[in-house]
Amino acid sequence: MNPASDQNPMAMKIPFYALFALLIPLAHAQQPVAPDVLVKSITEEVVAILKKDKDIQAGDTKKAADLIETKVVPHFNFVRMTRIAMGRNWRLASPEQQKILADEFKTLLVRTYSTAISNYREQQIEYKPLRAKPEDTEVTVRSDVRPSGSSQPVSIDYEMEKTPDGWKVYDVKVGGVSLVTTYRDTFAGEVREHGVDGLIKSLTAKNRQPERSKAGKA
Amino acid sequence: MARAKRLCAALLLAGTLGGCATSGGNPADPLEPFNRVMFRFNDAVDGAVAKPVAKGYRSVVPGFLRTGISNFFSNLEDVWISVNDVLQGKFQQGLEDFTRVFFNSTFGIAGVFDFASDVGLQKHNEDFGQTLGWWGVGSGAYLVLPILGPSTVRDGFGFLVDTQADPVWRVGNVPARNTAVGVRFIARRAELLDATSVVEQAALDKYSFVRDAWMQRRRNLIYDGDPPREREEPDDEPSK
């Protein structure tokens, strides 16, 4: 039935139908970017900036953190990352505490990542073929990174989930070491000894410490 | 050999101390009180000696030369790696690693150039601790070794065997041997400088962070990068 042929009040609805018709192809276009394509394009974009940016190369971690905030953070699910790191203790935290925890954990990871990328060296990245079915909502994007001058590649794997807002990373494994679960025992220990607030306090304190620059004593 | 004896003494000490120690929470780390002491000791030695020397090495020795030095030792290592490949029934990989040694020792001029990687023969990571793991030997308690750092009872034993098979330790001339062992140690430490600065930034409690990362890393190596998936989000109910 063609609503446009009606010469009655139904005609009022024409713009609505028209809009709807417009949305259909748009919805199709909204089909999220494939997870491996997403990882690859973000990595390429960030690496291109790193290669050019003399400040970050010289150890400007603040600038590195800004870069990560704008380019990388939107593609991560920090709430889920925090939930994994908290394990069973996640349920002990109130919704407000959960929000603070996720924010502080995000800050810590961003700062860590900024330290890592300020050490950036020339490297070759090889992406492995994605082993996933089209209907999968959780996939692992695998890559091998070989820094120039090193014979042994390091694997970097991204654990990703499909959300209405596109694919999001919820864990990164470097050489098989999970960025998230490595915190589990530390978090559990803090909660056991000082409660959820104690964990929040030590995360906040850690995040207030000055950034460690390349030359920093460690 | 003196080194091996010292290691045995440390293992023994760890065992005794472990007996009366209270566990800090991680079932894989019953020796935590001892390990924490050793970890702090290692950290102090690293901060006072190894790290500054490694930094000096990195700033004085040009990159291409550092790569050559690392490649040289890496090539010697590949011999024992290929033996471990075979012990784990990975014959194809063993053949590849043996071919690496052959190529790198000849065309790569005594291993200074990693020619094999450039033609697509990738280096593998194997040692006797992994071989034991592959045979089904459990890791045993987490163990921080003096100077050497994170290990486990199994991997500490594996390291003893690795040392026996290590050509660098077998150099007859003692001053030459000690120099070679020292240079290799510093070269490796220098390779890790960036990584350790990241760990400093990342860790709330460096001890447990390094331990948990180490345990995951070893597990990953034993399964050659593809370990069976562990549940990531344990039961939702609180632990208390």
Side-chain angles (χ1 to χ4, degrees):
Chain A
M1 187 163 130
N2 182 1
S5 64
D6 284 336
Q7 296 297 319
N8 52 34
M10 274 293 277
M12 289 287 287
K13 289 199 171 154
I14 291 173
F16 176 78
Y17 281 110
L19 196 69
F20 198 72
L22 263 174
L23 279 175
I24 292 166
L26 209 64
H28 242 280
Q30 281 301 359
Q31 184 63 248
V33 183
D36 49 338
V37 177
L38 184 69
V39 168
K40 205 174 162 187
S41 71
I42 299 164
T43 309
E44 276 170 3
E45 198 181 352
V46 171
V47 165
I49 297 171
L50 284 179
K51 277 184 182 164
K52 270 186 265 166
D53 198 308
K54 295 278 177 276
D55 297 334
I56 295 178
Q57 284 167 22
D60 185 343
T61 41
K62 190 141 266 152
K63 203 165 172 191
D66 285 344
L67 173 65
I68 293 160
E69 280 285 351
T70 48
K71 300 288 178 198
V72 181
V73 164
H75 304 286
F76 275 70
N77 181 349
F78 286 100
V79 173
R80 181 158 181 199
M81 294 172 97
T82 316
R83 211 173 70 215
I84 297 171
M86 288 286 288
R88 290 180 293 182
N89 289 326
W90 181 245
R91 289 292 157 117
L92 290 179
S94 68
E96 298 82 59
Q97 285 175 321
Q98 290 180 347
K99 195 187 170 306
I100 301 171
L101 281 168
D103 278 350
E104 292 293 338
F105 193 39
K106 181 189 111 176
T107 308
L108 179 63
L109 292 179
V110 168
R111 283 171 49 129
T112 301
Y113 196 18
S114 351
T115 313
I117 66 168
S118 64
N119 295 327
Y120 176 80
R121 283 182 296 158
E122 199 65 41
Q123 58 193 20
Q124 292 164 344
I125 308 175
E126 192 191 307
Y127 293 91
K128 298 185 188 165
L130 189 65
R131 283 181 293 180
K133 295 183 281 292
E135 67 273 20
D136 281 349
T137 53
E138 306 243 329
V139 301
T140 308
V141 176
R142 295 169 191 272
S143 66
D144 270 335
V145 177
R146 189 181 155 197
S148 66
S150 168
S151 53
Q152 200 148 23
V154 179
S155 66
I156 300 190
D157 299 342
Y158 302 85
E159 302 287 348
M160 302 179 78
E161 59 174 355
K162 196 178 193 174
T163 73
D165 198 19
W167 286 88
K168 302 280 178 195
V169 178
Y170 66 88
D171 197 1
V172 181
K173 290 183 175 146
V174 181
V177 179
S178 152
L179 195 61
V180 175
T181 54
T182 302
Y183 282 99
R184 212 179 246 170
D185 279 335
T186 311
F187 281 18
E190 279 290 333
V191 172
R192 194 171 50 237
E193 279 165 40
H194 309 290
V196 174
D197 277 326
L199 173 60
I200 291 176
K201 212 179 278 174
S202 63
L203 272 172
T204 323
K206 175 82 191 173
N207 287 335
R208 285 219 194 95
Q209 277 172 21
E211 305 250 2
R212 285 180 189 274
S213 69
K214 267 198 230 181
K217 186 185 167 290
Chain B
M1 272 328 281
R3 192 188 169 91
K5 261 187 210 145
R6 251 182 292 136
L7 201 68
C8 282
L11 283 166
L12 210 66
L13 182 66
T16 7
L17 278 180
C20 55
T22 48
S23 152
N26 188 322
D29 190 10
L31 310 176
E32 184 168 339
F34 165 82
N35 283 338
R36 278 197 186 262
V37 172
M38 197 47 80
F39 187 79
R40 227 171 302 144
F41 169 77
N42 286 346
D43 223 24
V45 173
D46 182 55
V49 187
K51 196 174 167 184
V53 176
K55 275 189 173 172
Y57 170 84
R58 190 164 73 168
S59 60
V60 172
V61 182
F64 74 91
L65 202 55
R66 290 202 311 269
T67 304
I69 291 168
S70 293
N71 284 346
F72 173 78
F73 288 115
S74 157
N75 182 49
L76 294 179
E77 214 176 66
D78 278 342
V79 180
W80 182 233
I81 289 175
S82 59
V83 172
N84 277 289
D85 289 332
V86 173
L87 290 176
Q88 297 174 32
K90 300 168 188 165
F91 298 109
Q92 166 83 28
Q93 193 177 310
L95 194 64
E96 280 172 31
D97 286 328
F98 186 75
T99 313
R100 279 181 56 84
V101 178
F102 177 74
F103 275 170
N104 285 341
S105 304
T106 52
F107 306 117
I109 314 173
V112 172
F113 297 97
D114 186 2
F115 173 80
S117 282
D118 295 335
V119 298
L121 281 168
Q122 243 177 30
K123 188 176 170 73
H124 297 101
N125 185 328
E126 304 291 355
D127 52 55
F128 197 66
Q130 288 184 53
T131 299
L132 291 174
W134 188 85
W135 285 344
V137 179
S139 68
Y142 177 68
L143 185 61
V144 181
L145 298 173
I147 311 296
L148 300 164
S151 190
T152 58
V153 172
R154 177 196 66 209
D155 293 340
F157 175 75
F159 177 78
L160 285 180
V161 178
D162 292 338
T163 308
Q164 297 307 309
D166 183 350
V168 178
W169 278 107
R170 295 198 155 266
V171 173
N173 181 313
V174 174
R177 182 199 69 190
N178 291 350
T179 309
V181 169
V183 169
R184 181 173 63 181
F185 184 78
I186 292 306
R188 285 192 183 155
R189 182 64 189 89
E191 284 170 30
L192 293 174
L193 281 171
D194 291 344
T196 45
S197 76
V198 173
V199 170
E200 291 288 338
Q201 171 55 52
L204 282 179
D205 170 19
K206 199 170 153 194
Y207 172 81
S208 72
F209 190 87
V210 169
R211 176 191 63 202
D212 295 352
W214 167 260
M215 298 296 270
Q216 287 184 53
R217 175 73 184 142
R218 290 301 290 180
R219 184 165 183 270
N220 187 264
L221 285 174
I222 288 164
Y223 285 102
D224 291 323
D226 209 1
R229 227 182 150 85
E230 283 175 310
R231 279 183 69 192
E232 246 131 30
E233 278 138 302
D235 327 313
D236 269 340
E237 73 268 18
S239 55
K240 285 179 194 168

